[in-house]
Amino acid sequence: MSLAFKKQQKLLKTDDFSSVFDFRRALTGKYLTLSYKPNAMVHARVGVVVAKKSFPTAVERNFIKRRMREIFRLNCNHIQPLDLVVRPRQQIRGVGYNALCADFLELVAKIR
């Protein structure tokens, strides 16, 4: 079993993101908003959207994206086949990895 974050696990195209947002299903946690849509594949895919207005520096936006992709990569085997779009909330600033991971897994568990 490979732990790599493969290209097939990523939402890459604008149409993929749009279809998830158009499905209009979302859950909000303490630090994240998770939009989701079932997919016809055998694995989950993820995309991370970080607003420039909320997080003005590229360093901050990229750090959040890397952290969310890592959480997904380590837990993707436990997620049903879904397209997920993760959006951080303002409260994410200064939050530790474990709290963020717990919030993400809690939101994913609510989908089931």
Side-chain angles (χ1 to χ4, degrees):
M1 175 177 78
S2 173
L3 289 177
F5 187 52
K6 300 174 185 142
K7 189 174 182 178
Q8 63 200 22
Q9 293 176 310
K10 302 175 188 176
L11 290 176
L12 298 172
K13 298 181 181 179
T14 304
D15 290 342
D16 294 337
F17 283 90
S18 296
S19 70
V20 174
F21 290 128
D22 290 343
F23 192 65
R24 296 189 178 270
R25 297 276 195 265
L27 297 169
T28 302
K30 191 171 182 182
Y31 309 113
L32 304 169
T33 299
L34 185 69
S35 300
Y36 64 92
K37 176 186 173 191
N39 67 25
M41 300 176 184
V42 294
H43 54 81
R45 299 188 304 170
V46 71
V48 183
V49 177
V50 183
K52 189 184 269 189
K53 184 176 181 180
S54 300
F55 303 95
T57 64
V59 172
E60 197 173 15
R61 290 191 303 273
N62 291 335
F63 179 75
I64 292 168
K65 289 178 189 178
R66 281 193 308 271
R67 188 167 266 195
M68 291 314 306
R69 287 188 201 117
E70 181 69 4
I71 291 169
F72 175 81
R73 181 185 72 83
L74 293 175
N75 296 290
C76 65
N77 295 330
H78 309 295
I79 300 173
Q80 59 190 352
L82 296 166
D83 288 343
L84 304 170
V85 176
V86 180
R87 289 180 291 173
R89 301 178 70 206
Q90 286 285 350
Q91 293 85 346
I92 201 171
R93 284 194 171 94
V95 172
Y97 176 84
N98 292 332
L100 194 56
C101 186
D103 193 40
F104 176 77
L105 293 175
E106 183 180 310
L107 290 174
V108 169
K110 286 181 183 178
I111 295 172
R112 298 178 183 172

